[in-house]
Amino acid sequence: MGEEKSYLAWMLDVLKRSVELGGFPEEVYHILSKPERVLAVSIPVRMDNGKLVVFEGYRVQHSSALGPYKGGVRFHPEVDLETDIALALGMTLKNSLSGLPYGGGKGAVKVDPTKLSPGELERVSRGYVRAIAPLIDDELDIPAPDVGTNPQIMIWMIDEYSKIRGRNVPGVFTGKPPELWGDPVRPYSTGYGVAVVAREIANRFLGGLEGLRVAIHGFGNVGSNAARFLSKFGAKIVAVSDLPGTLYNPNGLDVEKMIQLVQRAGGVKGLMEYSEPGTSKTASTEDALYADVDILVPASIENVININNAHKVKAKIIVEGANGPTTADAEKILYEKGTIIIPDILANAGGVIVSYLEWVENLQWFWWGEEETLKRLENIMINNVKRLLASYDKYSSSRGVKTYRETAFILAVERLYRAMKLRGWI
Ligand code: NAD
């Protein structure tokens, strides 16, 4: 494995370049290159076997220039503070790009949730909230689900927070179950947004989505919902990889069947029970990345497309469902090949857009229904793609901008710059 820049170092490189290319004062970089506040916590939890385990956690509050901090909480055994800071910076940019009245934040607990009993998981979730409670509130910092967390965990967290405050505070976390304070679109919003972005990009560059071949890496919340809607929009999902292995079928995989198998098995191991004719299976966790497809959706974790494998990627278009799936070196290799990469801060913004809509519903204790949310989500995503494409055309000819990532960063920084200027920070 070659030595590559860390995710944070790479984000900061792109940020610095975008501040220069966009003609913003250097002070903008100085402010945005550091989080406003970082909280490290320890969470003592009594395990089912009677032993006490102390888990490590963080909450990073990156920027409040545009509003309350907003960003998910990740439960994963390999989280570290540096990655959490990079993810929080990504949230600041993502929220700005989509025009939301939010700053950026991110939280994490170093834990493998698949190794916990339901009771242990609940105790870790409540313990984390007790630890970060002094720094969150529905107009201060609003966490949400991310890798390893889900709507049930959000409700435990709100319940704990509400006990601390002595009143119900549904707006302090988003991504709740639709039956209790959530928005019905939130569970599938990120994947839906990814599919809308892929459709709009395919319309522009490949004459439409109908019949195009798509590969999905990571069949969790984002990957499975992106697959579901891409398939509904007319694309053919030919390859899916996750930790148990890869499924490949040149005639198209049946997405609903795969989702049912995963649900029935209580996890992605269910994918390996898929047995439709013409399907081949391998134990590889990455074959989908190299499939001969038009569109690749990486939807698992960071750094999966890197210096060691970027040359094997055949897709014409990569729509980043995950945060940070492509490393800096991989992006260079893909750029030389002419691969179009639609960056995470635009492509996977559907989740936080619907989190925002859910939060607005919570603050007014009024829910407007699935159709209205979906319409608003779709409008924002389509508008984001249009702005990205038009700005890329403008900046690549006038300012030497090379990638869609730089373009998206410039658009995000522009709004942050104006806010910071108005507030007198610069
Ligand atoms: P998830 O936990 O539901 O799904 C992730 C999937 O990736 C799992 O099925 C896991 O088994 C698989 N995976 C993990 N490591 C892998 C590897 N090395 N190879 C193959 N598969 C692997 O998480 P999610 O919510 O779908 O999030 C996926 C990505 O999307 C993350 O980067 C997350 O930050 C980002 N994201 C999520 C949301 C959201 O609303 N859930 C919003 C924006 C961005």
Side-chain angles (χ1 to χ4, degrees), residues 7 74-76 87 91 94 106 144-149 186-191 194 216-225 241-245 262 267-269 271 284-286 289 298-302 304 320-325 344 347-352 355:
Y7 181 27
R74 181 173 286 202
F75 281 6
H76 195 276
L87 290 163
M91 289 309 300
K94 193 181 299 185
K106 201 83 181 186
D146 190 65
V147 175
T149 53
R186 183 63 184 86
Y188 62 85
S189 54
T190 308
V194 167
I216 307 274
H217 187 261
F219 202 68
N221 177 296
V222 178
S224 64
N225 284 303
S241 289
D242 204 299
L243 293 177
V262 170
V268 280
K269 59 180 186 286
L271 279 176
S284 158
T285 60
E286 41 186 63
L289 297 172
S300 54
I301 45 164
E302 309 83 65
V304 294
E320 293 187 335
N323 286 313
D344 47 9
N348 69 27
V352 73
S355 272

Side-chain angles (χ1 to χ4, degrees), residues 17-335:
R17 216 163 45 241
S18 308
V19 167
E20 284 161 14
L21 291 168
F24 305 111
E26 215 183 344
E27 289 177 1
V28 174
Y29 175 75
H30 293 318
I31 293 181
L32 292 178
S33 62
K34 299 262 187 300
E36 288 175 9
R37 191 179 291 121
V38 169
L39 176 68
V41 298
S42 45
I43 309 155
V45 173
R46 184 72 60 195
M47 306 304 276
D48 291 350
N49 63 8
K51 286 206 174 114
L52 187 85
V53 176
V54 182
F55 294 95
E56 199 181 299
Y58 314 101
R59 183 70 192 167
V60 175
Q61 298 183 328
H62 177 265
S63 170
S64 59
L66 288 165
Y69 308 100
K70 181 90 191 88
V73 179
R74 181 173 286 202
F75 281 6
H76 195 276
E78 277 152 34
V79 293
D80 57 52
L81 182 56
E82 195 192 297
T83 307
D84 213 38
I85 291 173
L87 290 163
L89 164 60
M91 289 309 300
T92 296
L93 297 167
K94 193 181 299 185
N95 295 335
S96 173
L97 182 64
S98 283
L100 306 179
Y102 283 146
K106 201 83 181 186
V109 179
K110 206 175 173 71
V111 60
D112 183 350
T114 63
K115 302 243 159 74
L116 301 181
S117 71
E120 289 167 343
L121 186 61
E122 180 175 348
R123 293 197 287 283
V124 171
S125 307
R126 289 182 185 272
Y128 177 65
V129 169
R130 283 195 299 277
I132 66 165
L135 292 190
I136 63 171
D137 200 13
D138 58 2
E139 290 187 353
L140 172 58
D141 184 352
I142 306 137
D146 190 65
V147 175
T149 53
N150 57 35
Q152 172 63 73
I153 292 177
M154 295 305 109
I155 286 295
W156 286 330
M157 290 186 173
I158 287 177
D159 186 67
E160 192 66 25
Y161 186 76
S162 297
K163 282 178 187 156
I164 294 168
R165 290 281 171 263
R167 62 188 169 93
N168 278 308
V169 195
V172 67
F173 286 82
T174 56
K176 299 172 287 288
E179 60 269 40
L180 188 60
W181 303 323
D183 185 285
V185 177
R186 183 63 184 86
Y188 62 85
S189 54
T190 308
Y192 182 83
V194 167
V196 168
V197 170
R199 184 189 68 200
E200 298 303 305
I201 295 294
N203 283 345
R204 163 81 181 256
F205 293 105
L206 301 176
L209 190 65
E210 191 65 39
L212 293 191
R213 294 154 305 156
V214 175
I216 307 274
H217 187 261
F219 202 68
N221 177 296
V222 178
S224 64
N225 284 303
R228 169 179 267 162
F229 290 104
L230 278 162
S231 163
K232 282 196 175 142
F233 295 163
K236 220 163 36 170
I237 312 301
V238 298
V240 167
S241 289
D242 204 299
L243 293 177
T246 297
L247 299 176
Y248 178 75
N249 189 330
N251 301 317
L253 295 157
D254 183 333
V255 177
E256 294 307 321
K257 221 160 244 168
M258 289 188 288
I259 291 174
Q260 275 168 19
L261 289 170
V262 170
Q263 277 167 354
R264 204 180 310 149
V268 280
K269 59 180 186 286
L271 279 176
M272 291 295 109
E273 286 158 33
Y274 188 87
S275 60
E276 293 302 299
T279 306
S280 53
K281 294 182 206 179
T282 68
S284 158
T285 60
E286 41 186 63
D287 277 354
L289 297 172
Y290 319 130
D292 188 8
V293 291
D294 303 291
I295 299 175
L296 167 64
V297 177
S300 54
I301 45 164
E302 309 83 65
N303 303 340
V304 294
I305 306 172
N306 51 55
I307 193 168
N308 298 305
N309 66 4
H311 60 281
K312 292 199 259 173
V313 172
K314 299 195 190 73
K316 300 181 186 82
I317 295 171
I318 295 176
V319 180
E320 293 187 335
N323 286 313
T326 318
T327 66
D329 288 325
E331 184 162 80
K332 261 187 229 138
I333 296 168
L334 292 162
Y335 176 77

